[in-house]
Amino acid sequence: MKTVTLEIDGKKIEAKGGMTLLEAARELGIEIPTLCYQEQLAPYGACRLCSVEIIKGERSRVVAACVYPVEEGLIVKTDSPRVVSIRRMLIEFMLAVAPRTKVIEDLAARYGVEGTRFEAEANLCILCGLCVRYCAEVKKANAIGFVGRGISRQVAFLPEIASKTCMSCRECFSLCPTAKIPRETDGVCFLDLTVDDFLSRQSK
Amino acid sequence: MAGRLTSIVDLERLRDEILAKRQGRRFISVSNGSDGRTRGSWEVIRAFVDEIEKQGLEKEVEVKSTGCHGFCQMEPIVLILPEGICYVQVKPEHVSEIISKTLIQNEIIEQFLYRDPVTGQGITHESEIPFYKGQARLVLGNNRFIDPWHIDDYIALGGYSALAKALDKMTPEQVLDEVKRANVRGRGGSGFPAGIKWETTRNAPEKIKYVIVNADEGDPGAYMDRGLLEGNPHGVLEGLIIGAYAIGVHEGFVYVRQEYPLATENVIHAIEQAEEYGLLGENILGSGFDFTVTVHRGAGAFVSGESSALMTAIEGKVGEPRPKYIHTSVKGIWERPSNLNNVETWANVPLAIGRSADWYNSIGTEGSKGTKIFSLVGKVKNTGLVEVPMGTSLRDIIYDVGGGIPNGRRFKAVQTGGPSGGCIPEQFLDTPVDFDQLTELGSMMGSGGMIVMDEDTCMVDVARYFLNFLSEESCGKCIPCREGLRQMLNILNRIIEANGKEGDIELLEELSEVVIDASLCALGGTAPNPVLTTIKYFRNEYEAHIKEKRCPAKVCKPLISYYIQPDKCQACLICLRNCPAGAIHGGKGLIHWIDQEKCTKCGVCLEVCPPRFDAVAKLSGEPVPPPLPETKVIRKRVAQ
Amino acid sequence: MTAVDEIVDRYQGGKSALIQILLDIQREYYWLPKEALIRLSERLEIPLNQIYHIATFYTAFSLTPRGRHQVMVCTGTACYIRGAPQLLHKVEEMLKVKPGKTSSDMRFTLITANCLGCCALGPVMVINGEYHGNPTTADLGHIFEACE
Ligand SMILES: Cc1cc2nc3c(=O)[nH]c(=O)nc-3n(C[C@H](O)[C@H](O)[C@H](O)COP(=O)(O)O)c2cc1C
Ligand code: SF4
Ligand code: FES
Ligand code: FES
């Protein structure tokens, strides 16, 4: 692929075509916060923490750095006021969903977010999808998946598969940024947090 | 059945034959779409068929079961052609009279005519009915003349001649240029110019490409795509084939929501017929161009109407938007270039090609050409599908075509653009409706839903309605959309539940900005629009809810009370007996009163209180007066 | 599970037909039994978690059996403005079922829909395929009584 020249936070960089803005920024030593991004997994673009502002000609817009490909002549701002206020709001959302979890408290500290204005609905899962994607893409086990959509979306184990494969693996335990999985499954037979639970709650 | 047409000449010959056979015949066209059927149009058709047989008129008269004529309020509609005599709300028992009087003796039956609401006069011809008068039904109008199961009906109207012209007289580049010159803009989303999108897909390097019809129509309250696909599937297919030729595509899809069984059935049947006629398949009309179409049913998800989500669903995977920033016209279905357009967009293509770009450009406004179909619904007298030239004012649509607001109520707002759109207040009623004007007002054209609201509609409640819809219909993948909408919905709920706080409006605005900027797809990117426009134009209603705990439209249950006015109550016992909560006290000759603790605010008392008493009232933002002391509750019936 | 196999065979085994196949199974059984999903996963070689994601994503699918009579109340925008919430509330009270749920005697399943395309009738209720425009409390009583 051809190389392209762009500017990130005032620094010029020649990047290989097809690279993402996140990768290019990292080459320059610019730290963009991420949550759902993992080098070994396909880019997912769900947490939007890596939001950056791009300027093309007259127009500026916000994109997710982990999925946006580098472009010739692009001007990128990874820390503009617009981007920071987005990140701060995302952190407030996450504090409501997963209070008192290290990863999120660290982020809050970094961005000076002192608390959340939203009522805590502590179910711990921020749906970054790391567990689901790791289980599918790396382990090829597909023992956990997404169910539902919109505000009812969640992750759930499939008991038929989990009972056979999960006990010897448990690699998603350490991947989960809010430690929901180790906290809410017994780690033995994985009978909590299953598709069946989800369905029985839905039909009540 | 004509067999396979192998040349343009074949098509023209067939058309002549069909027309010759129809010489001197009369047609009874019955609007028999999904909506007509709910009001008994099938029964009317059967009655006509039986009666015609009984009277031995098969040679002279033919009954046509057509798609929706548009005036849904008056279904079942019967149109007698070629005269254009229109009877409304026809019942099977009217049929023999219509045959013997109107068809045999050429006599108009006053009783079945549409009545002008102002003069009370019966109107004989369809074209003179105010609902139709202000319209320009270039696309939808064909529905009246076509039985969607008979391709011959479409051909008789000149159908497929635009395709013949494109294949015979134009190169793909010329077709593309003509569509670009006509500036056909997308009717399903943001009004993107179709020609430019086509060109992107055409220029993409991969060999295999696709074209797709978006018939997911997820906007709740819009049904023009259903009306078109159901009533005139060949019109949509013709546009699609022309597009495929211009772009250089040999495979297409129709993605139609499964909630539209009749549209699905009709388009599948139309594809089969077009294949038999050689209008689809290999070597179309002997031109050497090949093209096939497959139907894919959607399983019910608003977000799957978004282009990348729709394409993922066609691949058989969950219909979520893709996070990539590469446009689907370059990398769509199976990463191949795929051009998606809305049903109505495709249906406009034969017009621009068959006539010409210049002709097409003569209709509409500077930036928006042609017509647009709206589904005019809600609190408006004439509900139905309305097609007007771009640039027609909201007032003309709502008052001239729509007949205004029923029951003597006042107009409050009109919602356009569906869940991504906004509410437009009275002061902008004279705005000419086109893509750019609506966007300027903070709303959008969207697919063309137009929901009229009167003074009894609460704008905070409307905002909550759309947000609730979107929070359930979003795919739930990205945090700004899922959590942002969840929090916005929480705030609106608390405002409606009398727990609104100072600063809630500002917080809603702050949240909106983040959701719009940071969401992964256009669902989140437009979701706050209904909230932002209602705050912009109806901020006082939000403030009344928050500061005075009052719902000005008296809609939000936690903020209203039902109250029986003692001076009006005739102690008739009707509400008392009907109240499902047993909350009404009193008795024969004793003035009734509502126990506010027990009342569930179902509104049955208001519904059943005889209008001549009009004793039940809704209160909001004021305390409910206590019941009368016992000595005063006796009521002697006033003489009636 | 021969019915599932037959449906899969109709689509000549293509993975891309998954949603179409699920729609056909739903039409056949009125819900998606777990065994059917497991069989489908084997036949199409699609991981079960993906099938569950789809089956819980789309409103057309039900993962629990539905009642003998399906009562559908339209909550599309046009119906909403014309009083769908009141209608839905009444129906809930009368049937003692919440939207999306089935009564314990399996008599009724109550579902909501987004626009049935007959907004002129609104608010609309459909029961066993029959449409009712703006039914009164008394109408509803008669309609439900007639359902065994
Ligand atoms: C959440 C969402 C839902 C959509 N639903 C539909 C739909 O039901 N029908 C439609 O034609 N376009 C829909 N669109 C717009 C499509 O993404 C796409 O822009 C359109 O079909 C392109 O056709 P057009 O250019 O002819 O308008 C939707 C967009 C979004 C973001
Ligand atoms: S914006 Fe909403 S619908 Fe779009 S990807 Fe994000 S969560 Fe899904
Ligand atoms: S890291 Fe980019 S969206 Fe999560
Ligand atoms: S909104 Fe109910 S039928 Fe359209």
Side-chain angles (χ1 to χ4, degrees):
Chain A
M1 278 239 192
K2 281 202 308 240
T3 61
V4 297
T5 315
L6 65 159
E7 187 189 301
I8 305 179
D9 291 347
K11 296 183 197 162
K12 281 232 159 15
I13 175 172
E14 279 199 14
K16 273 204 293 293
M19 247 180 154
T20 62
L21 295 182
L22 181 70
E23 288 161 342
R26 287 196 172 168
E27 281 200 359
L28 283 172
I30 295 169
E31 209 355 67
I32 299 173
T34 61
L35 230 169
C36 67
Y37 173 79
Q38 263 272 338
E39 257 166 52
Q40 54 185 333
L41 302 176
Y44 187 59
C47 75
R48 315 308 274 183
L49 211 57
C50 66
S51 290
V52 295
E53 201 172 339
I54 58 168
I55 298 158
K56 268 199 245 186
E58 300 271 286
R59 294 207 315 206
S60 102
R61 69 180 175 126
V62 175
V63 300
C66 70
V67 278
Y68 198 91
V70 292
E71 268 171 39
E72 183 63 43
L74 207 62
I75 296 174
V76 184
K77 295 191 173 157
T78 74
D79 225 16
S80 67
R82 189 167 168 201
V83 163
V84 170
S85 70
I86 288 172
R87 288 191 198 134
R88 289 173 57 103
M89 185 65 91
L90 294 176
I91 292 167
E92 280 196 61
F93 291 157
M94 291 190 280
L95 283 172
V97 178
R100 289 180 298 284
T101 48
K102 177 146 190 337
V103 173
I104 293 162
E105 286 189 335
D106 287 352
L107 276 167
R110 175 168 163 194
Y111 283 93
V113 178
E114 276 165 13
T116 176
R117 282 169 286 177
F118 310 116
E119 236 170 87
E121 284 179 56
N123 88 0
L124 289 180
C125 181
I126 52 169
L127 289 160
C128 64
L130 285 171
C131 52
V132 175
R133 292 182 290 139
Y134 184 82
C135 190
E137 291 175 33
V138 178
K139 303 297 288 188
K140 312 237 179 298
N142 293 299
I144 187 168
F146 294 110
V147 282
R149 72 165 181 226
I151 52 176
S152 314
R153 182 180 174 117
Q154 64 168 76
V155 295
F157 282 99
L158 289 97
E160 294 80 10
I161 302 172
S163 61
K164 288 185 211 129
T165 58
C166 294
M167 268 173 292
S168 58
C169 169
R170 298 188 211 177
E171 282 165 38
C172 60
F173 281 39
S174 57
L175 271 178
C176 179
T178 63
K180 178 183 174 83
I181 296 182
R183 275 200 241 178
E184 290 194 359
T185 58
D186 54 14
V188 183
C189 56
F190 289 86
L191 283 184
D192 308 304
L193 201 69
T194 62
V195 168
D196 304 81
D197 287 344
F198 174 82
L199 294 178
S200 76
R201 245 176 298 124
Q202 291 251 301
S203 62
K204 252 183 226 129
Chain B
M1 175 59 223
R4 224 182 137 73
L5 309 171
T6 54
S7 67
I8 313 282
V9 180
D10 270 4
L11 176 68
E12 293 311 325
R13 191 181 305 134
L14 173 65
R15 194 184 330 272
D16 293 343
E17 276 168 28
I18 300 169
L19 289 175
K21 247 191 281 171
R22 294 187 172 187
Q23 273 289 326
R25 270 195 150 189
R26 293 167 89 186
F27 292 89
I28 301 173
S29 153
V30 184
S31 180
N32 191 30
S34 297
D35 31 10
R37 289 179 190 197
T38 65
R39 305 205 188 180
S41 54
W42 257 133
E43 287 71 26
V44 173
I45 291 178
R46 272 188 218 112
F48 271 118
V49 171
D50 289 349
E51 189 65 24
I52 288 171
E53 199 184 280
K54 212 163 85 190
Q55 305 243 17
L57 293 169
E58 293 100 323
K59 286 224 169 62
E60 294 90 29
V61 185
E62 191 179 320
V63 187
K64 283 224 166 293
S65 147
T66 73
C68 178
H69 292 192
F71 200 180
C72 307
Q73 192 83 30
M74 289 292 143
E75 302 272 15
I77 293 176
V78 169
L79 188 63
I80 294 161
L81 298 166
E83 297 89 339
I85 299 164
C86 181
Y87 290 139
V88 299
Q89 295 181 325
V90 175
K91 296 206 166 54
E93 54 268 30
H94 301 152
V95 161
S96 70
E97 193 183 343
I98 295 178
I99 296 275
S100 54
K101 288 213 180 125
T102 308
L103 281 132
I104 299 179
Q105 297 162 31
N106 285 324
E107 201 181 295
I108 305 296
I109 311 167
E110 270 293 315
Q111 181 202 345
F112 304 149
L113 294 177
Y114 174 80
R115 243 154 241 299
D116 187 297
V118 184
T119 63
Q121 286 286 317
I123 300 177
T124 309
H125 294 103
E126 190 204 35
S127 55
E128 292 150 10
I129 295 176
F131 176 80
Y132 293 118
K133 235 188 199 162
Q135 297 194 47
R137 292 185 291 162
L138 303 179
V139 177
L140 195 63
N142 286 344
N143 274 17
R144 292 171 290 174
F145 310 115
I146 293 175
D147 176 339
W149 277 53
H150 293 292
I151 188 171
D152 285 3
D153 287 355
Y154 183 62
I155 292 176
L157 286 179
Y160 287 110
S161 58
L163 173 67
K165 177 176 169 188
L167 293 176
D168 188 35
K169 301 205 166 65
M170 298 166 87
T171 63
E173 292 80 2
Q174 284 170 330
V175 176
L176 184 68
D177 279 346
E178 195 73 1
V179 171
K180 269 165 67 183
R181 231 161 44 80
N183 192 16
V184 179
R185 291 176 67 175
R187 261 66 168 170
S190 47
F192 194 81
I196 296 180
K197 192 148 80 176
W198 290 15
E199 194 167 38
T200 312
T201 302
R202 184 180 158 79
N203 291 343
E206 278 86 343
K207 273 231 163 57
I208 301 179
K209 311 168 194 229
Y210 305 102
V211 282
I212 310 145
V213 180
N214 190 347
D216 198 37
E217 194 154 72
D219 171 359
Y223 60 105
M224 49 269 155
D225 294 347
R226 197 209 65 200
L228 279 176
L229 205 59
E230 219 173 74
N232 186 9
H234 287 289
V236 180
L237 288 177
E238 184 179 3
L240 184 69
I241 306 168
I242 294 173
Y245 173 71
I247 302 171
V249 174
H250 304 290
E251 232 180 294
F253 295 92
V254 178
Y255 185 94
V256 53
R257 69 201 297 244
Q258 62 94 29
E259 292 93 326
Y260 288 172
L262 187 61
T264 314
E265 211 176 279
N266 289 0
V267 74
I268 290 176
H269 190 264
I271 290 171
E272 285 167 5
Q273 276 198 327
E275 280 167 353
E276 278 171 32
Y277 275 53
L279 294 160
L280 272 177
E282 277 174 27
N283 195 11
I284 294 172
L285 290 177
S287 66
F289 176 64
D290 308 333
F291 180 62
T292 56
V293 183
T294 323
V295 172
H296 191 105
R297 285 167 293 157
F302 175 66
V303 70
S304 288
E306 189 274 340
S307 50
S308 72
L310 183 144
M311 299 198 191
T312 313
I314 288 182
E315 294 172 8
K317 297 189 220 120
V318 69
E320 279 178 4
R322 299 177 188 170
K324 295 206 182 125
Y325 286 96
I326 301 167
H327 210 277
T328 47
S329 36
V330 178
K331 273 187 194 299
I333 305 175
W334 293 297
E335 303 268 300
R336 291 170 181 146
S338 307
N339 178 84
L340 174 73
N341 280 116
N342 167 264
V343 170
E344 192 184 339
T345 316
W346 289 118
N348 268 276
V349 170
L351 288 180
I353 296 297
R355 308 232 189 159
S356 71
D358 292 329
W359 172 82
Y360 195 83
N361 271 322
S362 69
I363 308 154
T365 61
E366 182 63 34
S368 309
K369 299 299 182 191
T371 59
K372 177 76 193 87
I373 308 176
F374 294 98
S375 72
L376 186 62
V377 296
K379 301 281 187 67
V380 61
K381 278 191 191 139
N382 303 333
T383 304
L385 294 178
V386 171
E387 182 177 351
V388 289
M390 296 271 189
T392 307
S393 76
L394 283 166
R395 190 184 300 281
D396 287 350
I397 299 175
I398 296 167
Y399 285 90
D400 291 353
V401 177
I405 317 299
N407 308 322
R409 312 303 286 173
R410 259 185 77 97
F411 170 89
K412 187 188 251 178
V414 55
Q415 209 279 349
T416 71
S420 322
C423 294
I424 300 170
E426 192 166 10
Q427 73 247 43
F428 297 111
L429 270 180
D430 293 308
T431 307
V433 181
D434 70 9
F435 290 107
D436 312 306
Q437 294 280 346
L438 289 179
T439 310
E440 204 150 287
L441 292 178
S443 184
M444 58 187 252
M445 179 82 83
S447 56
M450 195 173 268
I451 294 132
V452 182
M453 300 168 183
D454 68 4
E455 56 192 317
D456 295 332
T457 315
C458 169
M459 302 317 285
V460 184
D461 185 56
V462 165
R464 192 225 355 210
Y465 168 81
F466 281 114
L467 228 61
N468 184 49
F469 173 86
L470 289 162
S471 68
E472 287 173 4
E473 291 287 338
S474 125
C475 75
K477 175 176 168 176
C478 76
I479 293 187
C481 173
R482 185 186 67 245
E483 299 304 326
L485 295 184
R486 189 202 309 275
Q487 296 307 344
M488 289 176 74
L489 182 60
N490 282 348
I491 296 170
L492 287 169
N493 277 333
R494 84 173 172 237
I495 293 178
I496 279 169
E497 280 156 15
N499 298 319
K501 292 192 292 224
E502 196 79 27
D504 275 351
I505 301 179
E506 292 71 22
L507 187 53
L508 281 172
E509 287 171 329
E510 196 185 331
L511 279 161
S512 298
E513 203 173 315
V514 172
V515 174
I516 289 172
D517 272 354
S519 290
L520 185 156
C521 82
L523 186 149
T526 53
N529 285 355
V531 178
L532 290 176
T533 54
T534 48
I535 292 180
K536 183 165 164 198
Y537 299 125
F538 299 96
R539 199 180 183 101
N540 55 346
E541 288 199 27
Y542 280 83
E543 280 167 356
H545 282 72
I546 296 172
K547 294 192 185 135
E548 302 161 40
K549 310 295 172 208
R550 178 172 69 89
C551 173
K554 298 187 179 138
V555 169
C556 299
K557 265 195 197 173
L559 297 175
I560 58 167
S561 324
Y562 286 88
Y563 171 61
I564 301 173
Q565 295 155 277
D567 54 324
K568 290 189 174 174
C569 175
Q570 300 299 320
C572 70
L573 294 174
I574 297 180
C575 64
L576 193 146
R577 290 203 186 107
N578 277 285
C579 172
I584 300 180
H585 296 262
K588 204 162 178 213
L590 300 176
I591 289 174
H592 307 341
W593 59 279
I594 298 174
D595 182 342
Q596 297 296 329
E597 298 280 297
K598 279 193 184 163
C599 172
T600 61
K601 303 180 186 173
C602 67
V604 166
C605 49
L606 185 71
E607 183 192 315
V608 297
C609 181
R612 60 184 192 282
F613 301 161
D614 187 27
V616 183
K618 279 198 258 184
L619 305 180
S620 184
E622 51 182 310
V624 180
L628 296 180
E630 249 167 61
T631 51
K632 293 211 178 149
V633 297
I634 298 176
R635 150 87 58 204
K636 289 228 174 64
R637 283 282 181 105
V638 282
Q640 280 165 29
Chain C
M1 284 297 109
T2 49
V4 172
D5 286 322
E6 267 168 34
I7 293 171
V8 175
D9 292 339
R10 272 212 293 269
Y11 289 91
Q12 294 159 0
K15 281 193 214 275
S16 61
L18 176 60
I19 296 173
Q20 308 305 303
I21 293 172
L22 286 171
L23 280 168
D24 288 356
I25 299 177
Q26 172 78 32
R27 187 150 34 166
E28 184 93 18
Y29 296 98
Y30 297 103
W31 68 297
L32 301 177
K34 189 171 193 172
E35 297 73 35
L37 300 187
I38 293 175
R39 179 80 190 134
L40 204 53
S41 167
E42 290 163 8
R43 282 289 314 267
L44 295 177
E45 296 174 10
I46 295 175
L48 192 58
N49 62 349
Q50 285 177 26
I51 298 182
Y52 265 113
H53 193 184
I54 291 177
T56 55
F57 189 88
Y58 290 105
T59 37
F61 303 128
S62 168
L63 285 142
T64 43
R66 284 194 173 158
R68 292 193 294 284
H69 306 282
Q70 300 210 12
V71 182
M72 196 181 335
V73 176
C74 178
T75 51
T77 321
C79 288
Y80 188 85
I81 299 295
R82 291 201 190 192
Q86 289 78 359
L87 176 63
L88 184 62
H89 181 80
K90 256 190 259 174
V91 174
E92 276 177 45
E93 294 271 298
M94 292 174 84
L95 300 181
K96 308 253 177 303
V97 227
K98 291 268 161 219
K101 311 280 143 99
T102 300
S103 60
S104 48
D105 57 2
M106 297 302 287
R107 196 162 150 219
F108 294 106
T109 298
L110 176 59
I111 36 186
T112 55
N114 293 321
C115 193
L116 301 159
C118 39
C119 313
L121 291 172
V124 182
M125 182 185 83
V126 186
I127 176 161
N128 302 327
E130 229 173 82
Y131 289 68
H132 303 275
N134 197 12
T136 63
T137 316
D139 294 341
L140 291 175
H142 297 308
I143 296 167
F144 297 143
E145 251 167 53
C147 297
E148 281 298 300

